[in-house]
């Protein structure tokens, strides 16, 4: 090989070795709090594992908070320690309920105002789980029904359920906060709990009863959503658009690739039981292909928690559907399922 050719080859090798660094510099860094260990979070686990974030130019660090991991453990989900972080107080992007965000803004002077960019749970999909001592839904009257915290999806579910039954929430039933885990039920602190897909997939092995699935009632809610801090969103719309796109792509992969779903559950949530995985995967169809923000759920939340402070706000302050609209109009979502 001539000196010139060796020189050109050396330059080429040097250039190639620099590409990962150059490419990495183009990635937008993003920290994302997953909120809790639930079915609605699986697309984000898949997005990390399948390289979907990277393909969309994002360097995402996502995690559960210690509080979320502790809550998950109360229903038998042991999140690996490396995915739990307590050193990031309020990352600009998170996965959580739009309804709880609305509630906090109207009731907590220190609340961070976040905006829903997409929602994977526009109606309540909780199941009420009881011990076998409760044989009928009517048997819950006069008993204790556990939910997580005021303003959360499980609290809205509890209030909607009680109203559907024609009961007085102050006289006919005791709604118990910090009571939505299976441990609370097994300890006898509550008589029923409002649980998501993860918990009710584990309930049969614990000899617990799946009393009633609330999904058919179509109670509107601003459930699990991609939430962006309002002021951050003004200056970071490109990052938000990429994250929305990555999320929609991950939902499509989850719906069409069962192996990716099972692998994410095993890695991130330590859920390896094949029967539990199967029960959870049955619920995947409930997640929409086109997860627009749950506007009706947000409006319902504002009406449910009506107050002078709540009436200062409009529903439009809590969502931005433009990212989903642009993605949908481009045809990108439909192409994922062709």
């Amino acid at each position: 090989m001539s000196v010139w050719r060796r020189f050109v080859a050396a330059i080429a090798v040097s250039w190639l070795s620099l590409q990962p660094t150059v490419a990495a510099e183009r990635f937008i860094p993003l920290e994302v709090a997953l909120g809790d260990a639930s079915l609605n979070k699986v697309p984000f686990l898949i997005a990390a594992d399948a390289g979907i974030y990277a393909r969309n130019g994002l360097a995402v660090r996502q995690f559960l908070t210690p509080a979320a991991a502790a809550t998950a453990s109360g229903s038998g989900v042991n999140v690996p320690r490396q995915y739990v972080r307590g050193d990031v107080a309020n990352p600009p992007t998170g996965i959580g309920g739009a309804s709880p965000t609305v509630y906090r803004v109207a009731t907590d002077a220190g609340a961070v105002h976040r905006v829903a960019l997409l929602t994977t749970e526009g109606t309540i999909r909780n199941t009420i789980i009881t011990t076998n001592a409760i044989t009928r839904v009517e048997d819950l009257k006069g008993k204790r029904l556990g939910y997580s915290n005021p303003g959360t999806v499980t609290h809205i579910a509890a209030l909607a359920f009680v109203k559907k039954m024609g009961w007085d929430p102050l006289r006919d039933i005791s709604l118990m906060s910090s009571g939505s885990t299976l441990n609370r039920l097994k300890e006898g602190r509550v008589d029923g709990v409002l649980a998501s897909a993860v918990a009710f997939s584990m309930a049969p092995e614990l000899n617990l009863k799946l009393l009633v699935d609330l999904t058919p009632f179509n109670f509107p809610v601003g459930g699990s959503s991609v939430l962006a801090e309002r002021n951050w969103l003004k200056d970071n719309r490109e990052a938000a658009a990429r994250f929305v796109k990555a999320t929609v792509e991950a939902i499509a992969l989850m719906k069409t690739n069962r192996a990716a779903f099972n692998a994410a559950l095993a890695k991130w949530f330590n859920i390896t039981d094949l029967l539990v995985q199967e029960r959870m995967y049955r619920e995947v169809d409930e997640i929409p292909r086109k997860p627009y923000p749950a506007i009706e759920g947000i409006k319902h939340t504002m009406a449910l928690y009506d107050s002078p402070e709540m009436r200062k706000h409009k529903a439009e302050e809590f969502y931005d559907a433009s990212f989903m609209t642009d993605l949908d109009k481009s045809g990108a979502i439909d192409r994922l399922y062709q």
Side-chain angles (χ1 to χ4, degrees), residues 20 61 237:
R61 291 199 303 168
R237 295 190 67 83

Side-chain angles (χ1 to χ4, degrees), residues 17 22 63-64 67 122 126 138 148-149 164 184 187 194 211 213 217-218 224 226 258-259 272 274-275 277 302 329:
S17 68
V22 174
F63 59 93
L64 274 77
N126 293 130
E138 291 77 10
S148 53
N149 293 295
K164 181 73 175 179
R184 298 295 193 212
E187 293 164 356
L194 284 147
L211 186 69
D213 177 8
F217 296 118
N218 290 314
S224 188
V226 169
R258 172 68 181 277
T272 57
L274 295 179
L275 185 55
Q277 291 177 346
M302 297 181 76
K329 286 183 177 180

Side-chain angles (χ1 to χ4, degrees), residues 176-247:
M176 308 293 291
S177 64
S178 302
S180 63
T181 67
L182 297 184
N183 277 355
R184 298 295 193 212
L185 185 59
K186 291 188 294 181
E187 293 164 356
R189 297 192 178 192
V190 295
D191 302 293
V193 299
L194 284 147
S196 66
V198 172
F200 74 65
S201 295
M202 296 181 171
E205 275 65 48
L206 300 174
N207 196 32
L208 297 173
K209 185 182 185 67
L210 304 181
L211 186 69
V212 57
D213 177 8
L214 301 185
T215 304
F217 296 118
N218 290 314
F219 297 137
V221 71
S224 188
S225 305
V226 169
L227 300 171
E229 196 277 321
R230 186 169 57 171
N231 292 327
W232 175 89
L233 185 60
K234 294 176 183 177
D235 300 321
N236 294 275
R237 295 190 67 83
E238 177 61 26
R242 293 187 189 189
F243 193 74
V244 167
K245 183 172 178 288
T247 301

Side-chain angles (χ1 to χ4, degrees), residues 116-148:
L117 309 184
L118 63 80
T119 301
T120 59
E121 185 182 15
T123 57
I124 289 170
R125 300 199 302 266
N126 293 130
T127 293
I128 296 179
I129 299 175
T130 65
T131 65
N132 288 305
I134 304 292
T135 60
R136 305 176 306 147
V137 173
E138 291 77 10
D139 293 341
L140 276 175
K141 188 172 184 179
K143 301 295 195 304
R144 300 161 299 174
L145 181 60
Y147 67 94
S148 53

